[in-house]
Amino acid sequence: MELTLWTYEGPPHVGAMRIASSMEGVHYVLHAPQGDTYADLLFTMIERRGQRPPVTYTTFQARDLGGDTAELVKGHIREAVDRFKPEALLVGESCTAELIQDQPGSLAAGMGLNLPIVSLELPAYSKKENWGGAETFYQLIRGLLLSKVPTPENKTHSPTSWKEEGRSPTVNLLGPSLLGFRCRDDVIEIKKLLSQQGIEVNVVAPLGSSPADLLNLPKADANVCLYPEIAESSCLWLERNFGMPFTKTVPIGVGATQDFLEELNNLLGIEPPKQSKTKNQSKLTWYSKSVDSNYLTDKRVFIFGDGTHAIAAAKIAKEELGFQVVGLGTYSREMARSVRAAAKKLGLEALITNDYLEVEAAIEESVPELVLGTQMERHSAKRLGIPCAVISTPMHVQDVPARYSPQMGWEGANVIFDDWVHPLMMGLEEHLIGMFRHDFEFIDGHQSHLGHMGGHESIQKETTQKEDVEPNNSSSNIESPLWTSEGKAELAKIPFFVRGKVRRNTEKYARQAGCRKIDSETLYDAKAHFKA
């Protein structure tokens, strides 16, 4: 086990809590010690909800371990059912309570309660939050619909039956949940998109649905898997048992939205929309062909996030904005195979890790001009002085805007374009300020959005050693050569997006050459050395 300051995903019971909190009429009894209730903060602080999650904690303490903790569990289950009167009950345990082996799900099943009970067995020491959310959603659907699964000879589902029945085609939107990335707005955008095609939405789940809604899932003609991390296992089960096909394309980006519409329309037996009618729905396509976009061509971009958004971002960056993807990875091991396949197409080796320091090292090594990642990568990019846009959870409250800000569909492509391009344009501003800061038209001390991270002043401040102070140990002086004022001024003239690499190479050359100080001449010598 490793101790870490940050983690990309919480334990699996947080994923279960996301499903319960996303739905109506569902309550979650969590066998957990006092102190494991911190997850409440995620919904009140990040989602900014006016209500706490529908979760009852047993909150046992050390003194309870000497008694009958099983009775403690059953008491809390009875209280939760009597007080909240849920339509379905989820019962599970946190990572700490798992060690006690009280098996709260089995205890609940033997209490004779008159409601569906879903026992969650979520291995906290080998699985993470997204897996826990997917497993909870799957177990809930399976528990409610298992008795309604038709026999093989009675399985007659057809995605084109709406034609014979004289009605509009219908689909389920599966996967959106609380604490997902822009899920609320994505649902609105996809509903609008489907409405333009004459396709109605039967159920959206888990976000905003109830157990009664889940019972109606088989009434739809097909399923739309919006977020594979959460919904893919449920879609596969519905396909296997009810014959319901589901979409494999996630509509993030102009090309993916077009592909999604074609895939879904083909599933439902509808004539797909022509690209000539849809290609200009987003402003991204117009800008990509404009003269202004020339500045973006071949920009180096590093991408890291959950599997769905990382793969989509790589496709948009490469095919729609003309970026050069220099790094691609995910913390989601359940989608590692898909991310590796996407990276291989780009000639890269995917980075699969949940260590944010390893990601930061990969960013520094690849020397990108833009980072697309989570809030962890935003902090890493800030330290490295690189522009960054957040494309995936985990996220900060500032990434949950009150305004309409989807990632999917045509409007989602507009939002993505703004979120990605603006940091680059501001980075260009920073570079120009650095180049012309001594011009009489500029005011001393002017800084752009990067603040102390860019410009001549940052170079002056980033080295704490004083030029005039000689260290006592001459060997340590060689290992850490000092930058003179002249050298730092020359380094400041180099564009911010390659400045870090130049600095590292120059220091490496100085150590090899035994230089105790780095001035402009040393910098030029290093440049010639590495160019040779």
Side-chain angles (χ1 to χ4, degrees), residues 252-495:
I252 301 179
V254 174
T257 299
Q258 180 66 41
D259 293 343
F260 164 77
L261 289 175
E262 290 182 6
E263 180 186 10
L264 181 58
N265 278 283
N266 287 330
L267 279 180
L268 298 172
I270 304 173
E271 181 72 23
K274 295 181 179 179
Q275 289 194 21
S276 59
K277 293 185 177 180
T278 59
K279 65 179 181 179
N280 294 321
Q281 294 281 342
S282 170
K283 292 183 175 66
L284 186 151
T285 53
W286 168 84
Y287 190 91
S288 296
K289 298 174 183 176
S290 71
V291 176
D292 289 346
S293 70
N294 290 341
Y295 169 66
L296 303 178
T297 305
D298 285 334
K299 287 295 183 184
R300 296 168 60 85
V301 59
F302 186 98
I303 301 168
F304 191 88
D306 67 48
T308 294
H309 290 90
I311 293 171
K315 183 178 176 67
I316 296 169
K318 177 68 175 177
E319 299 179 11
E320 298 177 22
L321 289 173
F323 291 164
Q324 180 186 354
V325 180
V326 296
L328 176 62
T330 183
Y331 56 80
S332 178
R333 296 193 177 276
E334 289 76 31
M335 293 196 68
R337 180 176 297 178
S338 299
V339 174
R340 285 194 179 99
K344 188 175 181 180
K345 290 181 181 178
L346 296 167
L348 301 170
E349 183 177 349
L351 176 62
I352 312 298
T353 182
N354 56 11
D355 184 348
Y356 67 95
L357 292 176
E358 186 178 348
V359 179
E360 182 172 322
I363 293 172
E364 189 171 10
E365 179 67 25
S366 60
V367 196
E369 297 161 81
L370 175 67
V371 174
L372 304 174
T374 72
Q375 71 161 335
M376 310 320 203
E377 283 64 58
R378 175 164 50 206
H379 287 289
S380 296
K382 186 176 181 180
R383 282 194 291 273
L384 297 171
I386 305 171
C388 178
V390 173
I391 64 165
S392 161
T393 55
M395 57 194 175
H396 192 266
V397 65
Q398 71 190 76
D399 305 309
V400 189
R403 68 183 185 279
Y404 184 59
S405 186
Q407 297 289 283
M408 294 185 177
W410 308 125
E411 187 60 26
N414 290 336
V415 172
I416 287 171
F417 173 73
D418 285 343
D419 287 348
W420 296 12
V421 170
H422 289 172
L424 279 174
M425 292 303 188
M426 296 299 286
L428 175 60
E429 174 191 292
E430 181 68 33
H431 177 43
L432 292 175
I433 289 172
M435 287 177 62
F436 300 107
R437 66 177 296 105
H438 297 297
D439 192 288
F440 70 93
E441 293 183 1
F442 278 79
I443 300 172
D444 262 352
H446 179 85
Q447 291 181 338
S448 77
H449 76 300
L450 290 178
H452 67 280
M453 296 306 298
H456 180 69
E457 294 296 328
S458 67
I459 304 302
Q460 300 284 4
K461 294 178 182 177
E462 69 183 26
T463 303
T464 56
Q465 301 102 322
K466 293 184 179 179
E467 178 187 346
D468 297 331
V469 177
E470 293 289 340
N472 294 329
N473 190 322
S474 60
S475 63
S476 66
N477 190 30
I478 295 176
E479 290 183 6
S480 302
L482 300 177
W483 284 81
T484 66
S485 299
E486 181 190 7
K488 287 185 282 187
E490 197 66 30
L491 182 63
K493 298 176 184 178
I494 296 172

Side-chain angles (χ1 to χ4, degrees), residues 149-168:
V149 173
T151 57
E153 57 272 14
N154 293 329
K155 195 178 295 183
T156 59
H157 184 90
S158 171
T160 60
S161 61
W162 58 274
K163 296 180 179 179
E164 292 79 29
E165 297 172 10
R167 58 177 176 80
S168 299

